[in-house]
Amino acid sequence: MAKKISLEDRLFLVQRNFGKKSHITIDQEAFRKDPVKPILFICPARVFLLNESSGECVINHENCLECGTCQVASRYVKWTNPSSGFGVTYKYS
Ligand code: SF4
C-alpha cells in the first residue's frame, strides 16, 4: 500500500517565492454572498480559508501552485501572474 503524503509534505516539493505582495485578490462581498464557495474546496494547495468569525476569505497566497483552477471556478477571484522573479519552481520536473 502506498504511503499517504500530507499536503504540507507535497507542498515542500515545490519551491515558492511570492514575496509579501499577494498576486491573488478576492471580492469579499461576492464571496460572502456565494452559498457554495467552491474556492474553499477546489484549490489543491488550500490557499483559500474561511474565517468563521468574520465570514471573509483568508488568502494564503504563498502556498499557490499557479494551477489556475480558481480562475475557472470563481468569478470573484482575481489571479495574476506573480511579478518577474517570483512564483513557483518545481524541484523534480
Ligand atoms: S492558482 Fe491553483 S493553487 Fe493557486 S490559488 Fe488558484 S487554485 Fe489555488
Side-chain angles (χ1 to χ4, degrees):
M1 190 166 147
K3 182 182 172 205
K4 192 169 182 176
I5 302 172
S6 70
L7 174 63
E8 289 72 23
D9 287 344
R10 289 173 196 246
L11 290 174
F12 181 73
L13 299 174
V14 182
Q15 195 167 27
R16 290 159 284 150
N17 179 18
F18 283 110
K20 293 196 184 310
K21 188 173 179 225
S22 179
H23 62 293
I24 307 166
T25 57
I26 189 167
D27 179 340
Q28 294 285 356
E29 193 57 37
F31 173 78
R32 268 195 217 95
K33 289 179 181 172
D34 182 354
V36 180
K37 302 180 182 7
I39 58 170
L40 297 178
F41 309 103
I42 52 85
C43 175
R46 279 192 220 132
V47 167
F48 306 101
L49 300 172
L50 176 64
N51 180 326
E52 298 279 352
S53 57
S54 69
E56 290 195 345
C57 183
V58 178
I59 304 170
N60 295 316
H61 74 281
E62 62 280 350
N63 279 358
C64 181
L65 298 171
E66 299 182 39
C67 70
T69 306
C70 55
Q71 286 294 275
V72 177
S74 173
R75 285 175 285 171
Y76 47 79
V77 172
K78 184 168 187 287
W79 188 97
T80 58
N81 284 314
S83 302
S84 178
F86 290 95
V88 297
T89 305
Y90 292 91
K91 293 179 183 174
Y92 298 111
S93 61

